[in-house]
Short mmCIF file of all heavy atoms in Angstrom, two decimals:
data_model
loop_
_atom_site.label_atom_id
_atom_site.label_comp_id
_atom_site.label_asym_id
_atom_site.label_seq_id
_atom_site.Cartn_x
_atom_site.Cartn_y
_atom_site.Cartn_z
N ASN Z 96 0.11 18.17 -14.81
CA ASN Z 96 -1.24 17.58 -14.66
C ASN Z 96 -1.25 15.99 -14.96
O ASN Z 96 -2.23 15.37 -15.57
CB ASN Z 96 -2.23 18.27 -15.61
CG ASN Z 96 -2.69 19.54 -15.09
OD1 ASN Z 96 -2.87 19.71 -13.94
ND2 ASN Z 96 -2.68 20.64 -15.94
N THR Z 97 -0.19 15.40 -14.83
CA THR Z 97 -0.11 13.95 -15.16
C THR Z 97 0.60 13.20 -13.94
O THR Z 97 1.28 13.74 -13.13
CB THR Z 97 0.82 13.63 -16.41
OG1 THR Z 97 2.08 14.06 -16.15
CG2 THR Z 97 0.40 14.43 -17.58
N PHE Z 98 0.34 11.84 -13.95
CA PHE Z 98 1.01 11.03 -12.93
C PHE Z 98 1.46 9.84 -13.67
O PHE Z 98 0.85 9.36 -14.63
CB PHE Z 98 0.27 10.72 -11.77
CG PHE Z 98 -1.14 10.13 -11.92
CD1 PHE Z 98 -1.25 8.65 -11.64
CD2 PHE Z 98 -2.23 10.76 -12.38
CE1 PHE Z 98 -2.37 7.95 -11.85
CE2 PHE Z 98 -3.37 10.11 -12.52
CZ PHE Z 98 -3.62 8.69 -12.35
N THR Z 99 2.59 9.16 -13.20
CA THR Z 99 3.13 7.96 -13.69
C THR Z 99 3.12 6.93 -12.62
O THR Z 99 3.37 7.11 -11.43
CB THR Z 99 4.64 8.26 -14.08
OG1 THR Z 99 4.61 9.32 -14.97
CG2 THR Z 99 5.25 7.01 -14.84
N THR Z 100 2.67 5.58 -13.04
CA THR Z 100 2.59 4.55 -12.29
C THR Z 100 3.37 3.41 -12.86
O THR Z 100 3.81 3.31 -14.00
CB THR Z 100 1.10 4.09 -12.07
OG1 THR Z 100 0.66 3.58 -13.41
CG2 THR Z 100 0.18 5.15 -11.61
N LYS Z 101 3.76 2.37 -11.87
CA LYS Z 101 4.38 1.11 -12.30
C LYS Z 101 3.35 0.04 -11.92
O LYS Z 101 2.87 -0.04 -10.76
CB LYS Z 101 5.67 1.02 -11.53
CG LYS Z 101 6.35 -0.39 -11.89
CD LYS Z 101 7.75 -0.35 -11.08
CE LYS Z 101 8.39 -1.69 -11.36
NZ LYS Z 101 7.92 -2.94 -10.85
N TYR Z 102 3.09 -0.70 -12.93
CA TYR Z 102 2.24 -1.87 -12.63
C TYR Z 102 2.88 -3.07 -13.33
O TYR Z 102 3.04 -3.19 -14.43
CB TYR Z 102 0.78 -1.73 -13.29
CG TYR Z 102 -0.15 -2.69 -12.98
CD1 TYR Z 102 -0.77 -2.72 -11.62
CD2 TYR Z 102 -0.43 -3.69 -13.76
CE1 TYR Z 102 -1.73 -3.70 -11.36
CE2 TYR Z 102 -1.43 -4.70 -13.48
CZ TYR Z 102 -2.03 -4.62 -12.24
OH TYR Z 102 -3.04 -5.70 -11.78
N GLY Z 103 3.36 -4.14 -12.55
CA GLY Z 103 4.10 -5.30 -13.07
C GLY Z 103 5.41 -4.67 -13.77
O GLY Z 103 6.14 -3.88 -13.12
N ASN Z 104 5.62 -5.16 -14.99
CA ASN Z 104 6.81 -4.66 -15.81
C ASN Z 104 6.47 -3.44 -16.66
O ASN Z 104 7.13 -3.38 -17.69
CB ASN Z 104 7.35 -5.77 -16.51
CG ASN Z 104 8.02 -6.93 -15.60
OD1 ASN Z 104 8.66 -6.59 -14.63
ND2 ASN Z 104 7.86 -8.16 -16.03
N TRP Z 105 5.45 -2.81 -16.36
CA TRP Z 105 5.07 -1.74 -17.19
C TRP Z 105 4.96 -0.35 -16.51
O TRP Z 105 4.77 -0.31 -15.27
CB TRP Z 105 3.64 -1.97 -17.84
CG TRP Z 105 3.62 -3.18 -18.81
CD1 TRP Z 105 3.52 -4.48 -18.65
CD2 TRP Z 105 3.69 -2.83 -20.24
NE1 TRP Z 105 3.59 -5.06 -19.83
CE2 TRP Z 105 3.74 -4.04 -20.82
CE3 TRP Z 105 3.82 -1.89 -21.04
CZ2 TRP Z 105 3.67 -4.39 -22.14
CZ3 TRP Z 105 3.84 -1.99 -22.37
CH2 TRP Z 105 3.85 -3.24 -22.96
N ILE Z 106 5.26 0.68 -17.32
CA ILE Z 106 5.16 2.08 -16.75
C ILE Z 106 4.01 2.73 -17.60
O ILE Z 106 4.01 2.62 -18.73
CB ILE Z 106 6.45 2.83 -16.98
CG1 ILE Z 106 7.64 2.20 -16.26
CG2 ILE Z 106 6.29 4.33 -16.60
CD1 ILE Z 106 7.56 2.25 -14.73
N TYR Z 107 3.16 3.28 -16.80
CA TYR Z 107 1.96 3.99 -17.47
C TYR Z 107 1.95 5.46 -17.10
O TYR Z 107 2.26 5.76 -15.89
CB TYR Z 107 0.63 3.29 -17.00
CG TYR Z 107 0.44 2.00 -17.34
CD1 TYR Z 107 0.88 0.86 -16.45
CD2 TYR Z 107 0.03 1.60 -18.54
CE1 TYR Z 107 0.67 -0.45 -16.83
CE2 TYR Z 107 -0.20 0.33 -18.96
CZ TYR Z 107 0.12 -0.72 -18.12
OH TYR Z 107 -0.05 -2.04 -18.36
N THR Z 108 1.52 6.27 -17.91
CA THR Z 108 1.41 7.73 -17.73
C THR Z 108 -0.13 8.04 -17.92
O THR Z 108 -0.63 7.74 -18.99
CB THR Z 108 2.37 8.62 -18.59
OG1 THR Z 108 3.65 8.23 -18.40
CG2 THR Z 108 2.11 10.12 -18.25
N TYR Z 109 -0.70 8.73 -17.04
CA TYR Z 109 -2.11 9.11 -17.09
C TYR Z 109 -2.31 10.58 -16.91
O TYR Z 109 -1.39 11.30 -16.16
CB TYR Z 109 -2.87 8.39 -15.84
CG TYR Z 109 -2.93 6.96 -15.95
CD1 TYR Z 109 -1.86 6.19 -15.26
CD2 TYR Z 109 -3.75 6.22 -16.68
CE1 TYR Z 109 -1.90 4.87 -15.18
CE2 TYR Z 109 -3.81 4.86 -16.74
CZ TYR Z 109 -2.88 4.12 -16.05
OH TYR Z 109 -2.77 2.77 -16.03
N ASP Z 110 -3.27 11.27 -17.40
CA ASP Z 110 -3.64 12.55 -17.07
C ASP Z 110 -4.32 12.61 -15.76
O ASP Z 110 -4.58 11.64 -15.15
CB ASP Z 110 -4.46 13.22 -18.15
CG ASP Z 110 -5.97 12.75 -18.36
OD1 ASP Z 110 -6.36 12.01 -17.48
OD2 ASP Z 110 -6.51 13.19 -19.31
N LYS Z 111 -4.68 13.82 -15.30
CA LYS Z 111 -5.19 14.01 -13.82
C LYS Z 111 -6.59 13.35 -13.69
O LYS Z 111 -7.08 13.15 -12.74
CB LYS Z 111 -5.19 15.42 -13.59
CG LYS Z 111 -6.24 16.38 -14.43
CD LYS Z 111 -6.28 17.72 -13.98
CE LYS Z 111 -7.26 18.55 -14.77
NZ LYS Z 111 -7.20 19.93 -14.44
#
Side-chain angles (χ1 to χ4, degrees):
N96 285 316
T97 66
F98 62 99
T99 303
T100 65
K101 180 179 181 286
Y102 188 80
N104 290 327
W105 287 85
I106 301 293
Y107 296 94
T108 303
Y109 298 95
D110 71 10
K111 68 181 181 181

